[in-house]
Structures are given as structure tokens and as C-alpha cells.
Amino acid sequence: MKKLLFIILLLSSINLFAQESKITGTLTDAATGQAVVGASITVKGKLTGTITDSKGNYSLNLNKIKPPFTLIISAVGYEQIENNVTAAGEVSLKLQQKSIVLNEVVSSATRINQSILQSPVSIEKMSLKAIKENPSFTFYDGLQSLKGVEAVTSSLTYKQVNTRGFNSTGNGRFLQLVDGVDNQTPGLNFSVGNLFGASDIDIESAEVIPGAASALYGPVAFNGLLSLKTKDPFKYQGLTLQVKTGMNHFGESSVKPQGLYDFAARYAKAFNDRFALKINASYLTGRDWYAENYTDVSASTPVAQRGPNNPGRDALNIYGDEVSRTLPGIGLVSRTGYEEKDLMNYNVYSLKLNGALHYRISNNLEAIYQYNFGKGTASYTGSSRFDLNNFVLQTHRVELKGSNFFIRGYSVAENSHDSYNTRSLAQFINRDWVQDLSGNTVTPDKADDTWFIRYSTAYNGNASGVTAHDNAAARSFADQGRFLPGTAAFNAAKDASIHNYGLSGAGVFSASKFYHADGQYDFSSAIKVFELLAGGSYRDYRMFTNGSLFDDKTNRVTIAEYGAFMQAAKKLFDDNLKLTASIRYDKNENFKGSFTPRFSAVYTVDKTHNFRASYQTGFRNPTPVDQFIHLNVGPITILGGAPKNSAGLNVYENSFTASSVSAFGAAFGAAVAGGTPFPQAVEQNKGLLQKSNVAYIKPEQQKAFELGYKGLIMDKLLVDVNYYYSSYTNFILNTVVIQPQDQILGADGKVTTASASDIPGGKVHAFQLYTNAPDKVSAQGASAGLTYLFDKGYALGANATLSTFNLRNANPNNIAAFNTPKWATNTTFGNSNFANNFGFNLAWHWQSAFDWYGTFNGTRPGRVDAYSVVDAQISKKLPKFKSTVKLGGSNIFNQHIYQSYGSPAIGAIYYVSIVFDDLLK
């Protein structure tokens, strides 16, 4: 490290003495004449740049850059300007205030900088100004106000975003990048919101591409892309401090209002415009939202008989009660479960630490090293409610970039630490205390059977002192010795199960990682006749669950995949028409390679009216879990669909369909009951058996068409409308097959008697296989957005999104759940300085009701009601103290809303914050 610092300082001093000329000047506000502090000054087409100091002054060393050249000057709250420079010397300028810049610059749509008006596909942007004035508790919460963005909250520290349907609480179809780094956890295979992302004070912008973005970003960007960019330490220097405190849990019966605390610090410093560093630290903590939906969802009980008095009750957010039996003379009875609040760690937090070193080797070459450490606790709704407890995600990033290229490499590693499955936890605790009829505690493997014996004994009047034929009394007798929440025995059993992984406990273990390299080069300046961009990527997964999920105690589970893309663009008809074509090829070692093309056309009228059309394709590789899960849970083995995962098992080649085994079993049983001898019953009915024909897993596919218009009218009104139509196939699903010990088909191609005899003989094993559905479905939708700038800095925005799904003739069981409201609308209204440095912002969101399907409720529908929420903030800037005080709230009318079925109800958060900026400059 000392040698590295010495080399950096030496190079800095060499560049200092090599300086030949410089540009100096002062930037002031055109209206007030005051200095513009922290404005960015860069040379167009180069990395060279600087910022203004506390008096608006700047000095830019040219370092072999010879005039003429163009300076780009930008500052938050001002119009960006370009100024041609013909000679070194003084360049002082006046900047025009602009409450909202309607013609933003974006880079995600084509991977190069361009006007948002001329983007070939739909794109949304949250600028730095919007982030600072966001009324929601965090900037990430505020993403829901962007057109077409869907949000699902599983926890105070975990919100999932998505676009254009097929939403889920863990979205593996949507790519989230932070400074170009894929923010997904390797084991979960999706980004856990902003739990491990960046703090509000270090985010510069957020860009969202709704819809397929695989042509440029690869397999994860099946539904879209969220690209978060943090602040460059060259452009944003000094010390920033944020203190935010608030409260939630208002109007709830189970918990009184609780405090929320969010602290953040950022420091950045540049030396001689060559070397810069930044460090970030943030810590958010509070009491999580409670999941307290106790609706009886028992699939085995008629709807009219469900409820709190149902002996077979299976309450949504009570766990352990899904263990049930049909008892003779009694009916369906379930075990007594535990409420989620007694199982989940609701004291959540998010710790984020970040450091970065930037060195400008030359005017057009910069080296970067960045390290991110994230640790936190969050609740996640999957097949169960999971507690991501003290979960750690670390990333290392190295990058070399110029104005027309970059080469980047990074690693992402996770450690699940104390994470666990609450449903499994309840079931394991329930097996630690059960007593037999003599009052002796039985072993866990006998606990469930013993509990139901006690229940039957009491109900049938064979237990002394217990009223017969009384379900409540029978349950009370069966529950004798039950560990009560909060007791030492309960806590000990809970802790033991949490730290026991795999099938013998509730703990979730993963220390998986992946390594990634990508790069791109823009050949446009060399070719000149047309634009040409090319790039590629490589990823290496290295999974490790110590046998708790994969067969990886002794075997290594690794996955390699790579891809390359090329994009060409040409302007025609006096540069009014721009045609763009992109194509990408991707290859995963376990699947055939696939091409994903994209074609687009943008026609510009009078510079500010842009009509676009595009054809896009997307694909999604099966996740490592889809490919390599290998979990024997007793009567069934869950088996991922990569060919090498089932090598030697012969299950894809030699198994029956589950439905045909059921049909055979029923017919065979009836025949034997009617007096037919065993061999004859087998022979008579073996024709009912059907060989399974399950294909190995492969990528999901999407094709989409989009039409749109984006225009700026009189520099006051921004209009953005679009329509899309998408078709999907090869959705990943699970199917169950039954494998006999003997060969299924004989030489004649017919089912053998030996394999059929294995079924009643118990010589079979069930497998749940990962494969794809051949069914095709489609979705279409439209969005419209308006932003209008009033006089005196007031801005009004409104957008609406329509989303529809067409199942066509597909089997609903073969298709991923759409999980998207038909209608969603947003309205925003604000002014950053309506009087004496006071500002305000309001955001209203409404969406229609829809049915949510998820594995948490056994893929059965659960209603998500329509809801309406308002976020608001009022702020006061204190220039003398370089600070801003904000008073605000999310969901200020405290509407307790659900965003997915089984997740907690979300109420109001009221907060106050103070941010000190530009300190120690």
C-alpha cells in the first residue's frame, strides 16, 4: 500500500510540472449574481475536469489539450451549457436556473450518452435534483413514482422493483447495476433492493429501462434494467453528513410507534485533478413491518368452513400449522403454529461501507478501484418468509476507462450468516417439546405422529379430565408442554434450529460468489461514417452451500457464461432519422448459445419532437438454483435441470409421469380389492403408465415491439407516450416424475411388467425436475407521462401505465405469474424554492387491485387490494450552514397497504432529516 501511494504521488507531481496552460474563471448565477458552488467543468470528449470552489472559482489544467475545444458546464438546478474555447485563459460564465431539466442526458438506453428525448427505447431517469427533493423515506422508495415502475415491499429494508409484468418478491428477471456492477446476491440470484446498494447522499442518478434489455445487457435484463450511478469524487468533493430520524407503526395493535434512524457520511477529495478518493458510511435501523395476515388459506378446507375455529386452520402468517392430518372420525386437524412476529427478527438494519480510488493516468485514461461492504437484516417473502439475518455482500471492482471505452472486472461474494426459513423454524420448534401419553418428551422424528395421537385420544374421550368431542380441548391437551414465545426454552430451540442448516434445521447457508469481466469500445470517432459500439462480458459462478442446497460438499458447482454484442447506428435525412441495430450472442456452458437482436428507429421533427419504433428480444438463463439444486427431502428429490446435475441418475430417461402413476395406482388398487391377483392386476393396468418426456432446462425467451413519442413543447411541457406488445415462451417450471428401479420400456417399446410392479412394491422415488413450458403467452401495455414547468419554479408531473396479460391457450400452471396491476398512476408537484429557500414536493401513487400468485401461498391467488398513498416533504435550505432541513413522510395518511400477498402491511413513516453538504471543501 505504501508503494502504491508513493507511485500515485510521484505521478501526480510529474503531471504537475508538465502542465503547460490552464483555463480559469468564475461561474455565477445569472439571476442573483451569486457564486455557483460545486459546478462541474469538463472538456468534451475527455475525462479531464474540475469543479468550482466556495467562491465559484475554478482552475482547469489543460495538460497537452490544445484549443480549440469545448467545455461542458453543469450544476444541480441549472441548465447545462457547452462553451467553445479557442485559447487558454479566463472563461467566466453565468448559469441560468432551471427547476427541472426536461432534456436530460442518459446513457443506459444505448450504453453511450445521449438526449433522453432521442432514446430509441423507453427510459426513465431520477436525477440528482430529484433524489435530493424526493419525499419518500429513501430515494429507492421514490422509484415507484417513475412511469412504468412497479414496487413490492417485503421489509423495511427490502423493496423490489420491476417493469412490465411478471413481478415477484425476488425478481431474477430484472437487472440492477450499481456503477456497472451487478448487485445481485449469487445465491438468491436477485438484487435485495438497496440493502447492499448505495446511500442517498452518494447516488448521482438512477435510470430505468422498462422491458427487455438483453441485447445490450445480457440474460438478467429480461424484464428491464435499473442502473444506479454514484458520485464521482472528482466532481463531488467535500464532506457530506446526513442525519435522518423518523417513526413508523402508527395505529397498529401489536406494536406501538417505533423509531427509525438513518445516518450517512461521505467524504471525497481530489488532488491536482489527477488522483481522487471517496469514502462512504451509512447505517439505517428500525423496527420492521409486521406480517399479521391471519386469513385461513387451508387448501383442504372448503372456503365456507375456514376461519379461526377451523381445526385444520392454515393461517397465512402463522407457521407450523401447515402440518396437518385427516384424523378418522374427526376430520382435518392442523398443528398449532407460531405467529411470524415470534419467529422473525424484526430489528432490521442496513450497514453500507464504500471506498474508491480514482487515478487519471492521462487526459483520457482513468483507473478505478472500488470496494463495497454491505451487511444487513431484512425479511423476504419467497416460498416461505425468510429472515436474511446479518447477511453480508461484498464487491471489489477494478476499471480502466476512457471517453470511448472501458474495461471492468469485479467480484461479488455473499455470506448468509444467521439467515433462516421461518416456516421451517416453526415446524422444527414444534417437534422439540411434544409429549407422549405418559408425559415423556419424544424425539423430533416422532413428534408430529405423537401430537396427532394425543389430539385423537383427547377428542375421542380417552384422556382423563378432557371434554370429549371438543376440538379446543383436544388441541389444548395435545399442546401440553408447548414452548411459549419469549421463554428460555423457546429461544434455545429457535437458536439451535437457526444455526442448523439443510434438512435438519431452518438455517440457510450460502457462501457463493461470482467473478465478472466486461468491456466495450466505441469505434464511432474512428469510423465517422456511422456509429459503431462493441463489447463483451464473461461471468464465472462459484456456488457453495455445503450440501444444504446443492450437491457441493465434495463436488464443485461452477457455471461459466460469456457474451458479446455489437451496435451500429446511422443518421439519415439531414440527421433527422436515426437507425440503430444491435445484436448480442450469449453462451452458458450448460445451454446452446442464443442471439438477441434489437432494431430501432427514431425520427426527429423540429429538434424536439421524437417518434420511435423498436423491436427487442430478451432471454433469461436459468439461475444457478434452477440448474443445480440437488435436495433430497425424503419422499422426493428436488433436482435442477442442468444435464450434468442429473448425470448417473437416469431420471430424465427412465421415469413415469406423476399423473399416469396416480391413474395406475387407482386402477391397480381397485382391481386387487376386487379379488384380482397382484401379477394380473399389474399386467392389466400397466398400459395406463406413460413414460415422462421432460426436457433439460433452457433459457426463457421474449420478443417485444414498442412504439413511442417523446417531445418537448416550448421548453415547458415534456410529453412521453409509448405502447408495447411482448410475447413469451419457455417459462421455467417444475414437474414431478416417478422413477422405478427397473427399466421402463422393453425392446418392444412398451412398459415393462417389472417397472410397473415397482410402484405397488414401493420401489420408486419421486423427483421434482426443473424444465420449461412450451406454452406461449403475451402481454401488452401503454404508458403516458406529462411534465409541465410553471412560472416561479413550480413543476407538475403525471403519468399512467396500463398493463394487460393474455394467457392465450396456455396452461396457467405452466406460466410465471403476471402479478401486475392493470392500472397504475403517479402525480408529483413541487418547487425547490417557493419562498426564502423553502421547498416542497408531493407524490401521489394509485394502483388497481389484482390477484397475486406466489409460492408462499402454494401458487393459489391472494388479493392485493387497490390502494392510494401520498408522500410529502417540505424543506428549508440554510446556505450559511451549508445544510438543508427536511420534514416529510411516506404514506402520510397511514393507509396500511399490501403490495404482495403474504408480505407485511406497509403504513406511514414520518421523518425529519438534516443534510450538511460541501463541508471541508
Side-chain angles (χ1 to χ4, degrees):
M1 179 59 73
K2 290 182 178 180
K3 291 182 178 180
L4 176 62
L5 292 175
F6 174 76
I7 293 171
I8 290 172
L9 292 172
L10 178 63
L11 290 171
S12 298
S13 62
I14 291 172
N15 281 295
L16 179 64
F17 289 112
Q19 292 166 3
E20 299 173 354
S21 58
K22 60 184 178 181
I23 298 291
T24 61
T26 303
L27 301 183
T28 55
D29 188 303
T32 65
Q34 295 179 346
V36 178
V37 180
S40 170
I41 303 97
T42 58
V43 177
K44 189 173 184 178
K46 304 290 183 182
L47 298 178
T48 300
T50 189
I51 61 172
T52 55
D53 59 20
S54 59
K55 297 181 180 179
N57 299 322
Y58 73 92
S59 178
L60 178 62
N61 298 316
L62 295 180
N63 296 323
K64 299 181 181 180
I65 299 177
K66 297 180 180 180
F69 55 82
T70 301
L71 289 180
I72 300 176
I73 298 96
S74 61
V76 178
Y78 293 89
E79 283 192 71
Q80 177 175 298
I81 59 175
E82 295 188 5
N83 187 78
N84 295 323
V85 177
T86 56
E90 181 178 349
V91 178
S92 295
L93 298 167
K94 298 182 183 294
L95 303 186
Q96 298 288 337
Q97 290 187 15
K98 192 81 174 215
S99 60
I100 294 180
V101 178
L102 298 178
N103 190 8
E104 296 270 12
V105 174
V106 294
S107 59
S108 299
T110 57
R111 298 182 69 121
I112 56 176
N113 290 339
Q114 66 179 155
S115 164
I116 194 171
L117 297 178
Q118 297 177 338
S119 168
V121 295
S122 293
I123 187 168
E124 301 294 317
K125 181 174 182 178
M126 179 181 278
S127 66
L128 177 57
K129 188 173 186 296
I131 290 169
K132 288 184 173 183
E133 297 171 6
N134 166 51
S136 305
F137 187 66
T138 69
F139 90 91
Y140 204 89
D141 295 329
L143 292 172
Q144 191 171 10
S145 293
L146 298 180
K147 177 164 55 64
V149 173
E150 307 145 22
V152 175
T153 301
S154 290
S155 175
L156 181 67
T157 49
Y158 175 37
K159 181 187 291 286
Q160 181 78 64
V161 296
N162 183 56
T163 60
R164 296 195 176 172
F166 303 102
N167 202 358
S168 68
T169 50
N171 195 350
R173 294 182 173 89
F174 189 84
L175 176 62
Q176 178 171 301
L177 301 176
V178 181
D179 292 327
V181 175
D182 187 346
N183 193 226
Q184 70 168 284
T185 59
L188 294 175
N189 307 127
F190 56 82
S191 296
V192 189
N194 198 40
L195 183 64
F196 308 116
S199 70
D200 285 33
I201 61 174
D202 193 39
I203 289 289
E204 182 188 48
S205 66
E207 295 182 11
V208 177
I209 297 179
S214 299
L216 294 181
Y217 292 96
V220 184
F222 186 77
N223 269 22
L225 164 75
L226 169 61
S227 176
L228 304 175
K229 294 183 180 179
T230 66
K231 294 177 180 176
D232 187 324
F234 284 109
K235 295 174 65 175
Y236 301 94
Q237 297 183 38
L239 175 66
T240 302
L241 300 173
Q242 174 187 271
V243 178
K244 184 188 297 183
T245 183
M247 298 188 78
N248 65 342
H249 292 294
F250 292 89
E252 299 179 23
S253 59
S254 298
V255 59
K256 62 183 180 181
Q258 300 286 310
L260 298 173
Y261 308 95
D262 187 4
F263 308 104
R266 179 187 185 273
Y267 177 73
K269 176 67 176 176
F271 304 89
N272 300 325
D273 294 330
R274 284 293 178 181
F275 172 65
L277 60 84
K278 74 171 180 177
I279 53 175
N280 280 280
S282 67
Y283 183 75
L284 182 153
T285 185
R287 190 72 168 168
D288 206 355
W289 302 112
Y290 281 36
E292 298 181 300
N293 187 343
Y294 301 140
T295 302
D296 186 356
V297 294
S298 172
S300 301
T301 304
V303 175
Q305 298 175 20
R306 295 177 187 173
N309 297 320
N310 173 21
R313 181 190 185 201
D314 179 9
L316 191 64
N317 291 129
I318 293 177
Y319 313 128
D321 60 353
E322 51 281 316
V323 177
S324 63
R325 300 274 176 85
T326 299
L327 303 180
I330 302 174
L332 184 71
V333 175
S334 65
R335 291 209 56 184
T336 306
Y338 291 97
E339 295 179 355
E340 180 182 295
K341 64 183 179 182
D342 297 319
L343 302 167
M344 191 79 77
N345 178 9
Y346 280 155
N347 295 314
V348 297
Y349 71 95
S350 173
L351 171 67
K352 305 185 188 84
L353 303 175
N354 162 276
L357 302 175
H358 293 236
Y359 182 70
R360 288 177 175 167
I361 300 169
S362 69
N363 293 322
N364 206 24
L365 188 63
E366 181 176 332
I368 301 169
Y369 168 73
Q370 181 172 315
Y371 171 69
N372 296 293
F373 175 89
K375 184 177 183 179
T377 294
S379 307
Y380 156 57
T381 311
S383 57
S384 174
R385 285 275 288 164
F386 292 89
D387 194 325
L388 305 181
N389 196 21
N390 298 318
F391 201 104
V392 169
L393 189 74
Q394 299 182 72
T395 64
H396 294 267
R397 164 185 161 233
V398 291
E399 185 171 335
L400 190 67
K401 71 174 185 177
S403 60
N404 63 344
F405 82 96
F406 73 79
I407 301 173
R408 178 190 303 129
Y410 60 85
S411 65
V412 179
E414 69 183 6
N415 191 322
S416 59
H417 281 290
D418 306 311
S419 301
Y420 58 94
N421 179 332
T422 58
R423 181 170 285 165
S424 296
L425 177 61
Q427 293 175 6
F428 279 109
I429 294 175
N430 255 348
R431 294 174 184 137
D432 281 344
W433 52 262
V434 176
Q435 301 174 359
D436 61 19
L437 294 174
S438 299
N440 301 311
T441 302
V442 301
T443 56
D445 60 313
K446 299 177 180 177
D448 288 335
D449 289 338
T450 303
W451 189 92
F452 287 109
I453 290 173
R454 287 181 64 94
Y455 192 105
S456 297
T457 301
Y459 187 87
N460 292 323
N462 297 320
S464 178
V466 179
T467 303
H469 306 294
D470 186 326
N471 280 296
R475 182 172 298 277
S476 179
F477 179 76
D479 279 344
Q480 287 179 7
R482 182 174 183 263
F483 293 163
L484 299 179
T487 63
F490 177 88
N491 292 335
K494 178 179 176 181
D495 186 70
S497 185
I498 287 173
H499 295 98
N500 195 346
Y501 305 103
L503 299 179
S504 58
V508 175
F509 177 81
S510 180
S512 302
K513 63 182 69 173
F514 67 81
Y515 299 93
H516 185 98
D518 63 339
Q520 72 177 43
Y521 193 94
D522 187 353
F523 296 92
S524 303
S525 59
I527 297 177
K528 297 181 180 179
V529 178
F530 60 93
E531 299 174 14
L532 181 64
L533 183 72
S537 63
Y538 176 83
R539 178 169 295 188
D540 179 18
Y541 286 96
R542 301 186 182 185
M543 313 302 293
F544 182 63
T545 65
N546 198 31
S548 63
L549 189 62
F550 302 127
D551 183 19
D552 60 354
K553 270 197 171 183
T554 56
N555 301 316
R556 293 182 61 199
V557 175
T558 62
I559 304 171
E561 58 187 34
Y562 62 87
F565 74 90
M566 184 174 292
Q567 175 176 272
K570 175 67 175 177
K571 290 184 177 180
L572 304 170
F573 304 121
D574 297 326
D575 293 344
N576 290 321
L577 175 64
K578 185 173 184 179
L579 302 177
T580 305
S582 312
I583 190 166
R584 181 182 176 99
Y585 176 79
D586 283 271
K587 178 71 174 72
N588 180 295
E589 65 173 290
N590 296 315
F591 317 114
K592 294 180 180 179
S594 60
F595 288 94
T596 47
R598 183 177 84 173
F599 305 98
S600 66
V602 179
Y603 189 76
T604 302
V605 178
D606 198 24
K607 297 183 179 180
T608 58
H609 300 280
N610 300 273
F611 301 86
R612 66 179 184 272
S614 64
Y615 167 74
Q616 305 166 57
T617 54
F619 78 103
R620 171 185 172 246
N621 279 336
T623 66
V625 172
D626 296 335
Q627 297 179 54
F628 284 103
I629 186 173
H630 194 139
L631 191 61
N632 188 328
V633 293
I636 190 169
T637 295
I638 304 172
L639 197 64
K644 65 176 67 173
N645 193 45
S646 58
L649 296 178
N650 202 32
V651 62
Y652 280 84
E653 299 81 6
N654 193 68
S655 58
F656 292 121
T657 65
S659 59
S660 71
V661 170
S662 295
F664 169 82
F668 171 84
V672 171
T676 304
F678 184 101
Q680 292 179 356
V682 169
E683 200 66 34
Q684 289 173 2
N685 294 289
K686 70 177 185 178
L688 296 173
L689 293 169
Q690 296 179 2
K691 182 181 181 298
S692 67
N693 184 25
V694 181
Y696 291 113
I697 203 168
K698 58 186 177 182
E700 297 179 346
Q701 301 288 338
Q702 177 189 173
K703 298 178 181 179
F705 299 89
E706 181 180 308
L707 298 173
Y709 163 81
K710 186 171 286 188
L712 186 58
I713 301 171
M714 299 180 65
D715 209 27
K716 287 278 190 180
L717 176 64
L718 177 66
V719 180
D720 184 7
V721 295
N722 68 73
Y723 165 81
Y724 73 91
Y725 176 88
S726 302
S727 60
Y728 304 84
T729 191
N730 292 341
F731 276 115
I732 294 170
L733 54 76
N734 301 133
T735 188
V736 175
V737 299
I738 309 298
Q739 184 187 45
Q741 291 183 1
D742 289 284
Q743 188 68 30
I744 285 178
L745 301 180
D748 58 359
K750 295 181 180 180
V751 173
T752 63
T753 301
S755 65
S757 299
D758 287 341
I759 298 172
K763 299 178 181 180
V764 294
H765 188 74
F767 287 85
Q768 178 180 298
L769 305 180
Y770 281 68
T771 185
N772 301 83
D775 308 66
K776 293 183 179 181
V777 296
S778 63
Q780 61 181 328
S783 294
L786 300 173
T787 303
Y788 186 78
L789 303 185
F790 293 92
D791 293 337
K792 299 183 179 181
Y794 291 91
L796 175 67
N799 62 68
T801 299
L802 169 67
S803 304
T804 62
F805 175 60
N806 187 351
L807 189 61
R808 295 182 177 178
N809 296 318
N811 181 345
N813 297 322
N814 292 347
I815 304 301
F818 194 59
N819 287 345
T820 302
K822 184 175 182 179
W823 287 102
T825 62
N826 297 284
T827 301
T828 59
F829 182 59
N831 188 328
S832 58
N833 186 7
F834 67 88
N836 300 320
N837 286 320
F838 278 97
F840 75 94
N841 202 357
L842 300 170
W844 170 73
H845 174 84
W846 174 86
Q847 65 180 50
S848 58
F850 66 100
D851 285 333
W852 180 277
Y853 292 81
T855 53
F856 181 72
N857 191 35
T859 67
R860 300 185 301 273
R863 194 66 169 170
V864 174
D865 292 329
Y867 68 82
S868 173
V869 294
V870 176
D871 299 348
Q873 64 89 359
I874 185 168
S875 60
K876 169 68 174 177
K877 294 177 182 176
L878 304 171
K880 183 178 180 180
F881 300 100
K882 298 182 178 180
S883 62
T884 301
V885 178
K886 184 191 291 187
L887 177 66
S890 298
N891 189 5
I892 61 173
F893 297 113
N894 199 28
Q895 303 292 316
H896 288 84
I897 64 167
Y898 294 97
Q899 293 182 322
S900 69
Y901 197 63
S903 292
I906 313 302
I909 296 177
Y910 304 108
Y911 67 87
V912 60
S913 71
I914 182 168
V915 176
F916 297 91
D917 208 354
D918 295 328
L919 302 176
L920 302 182
K921 259 191 174 180

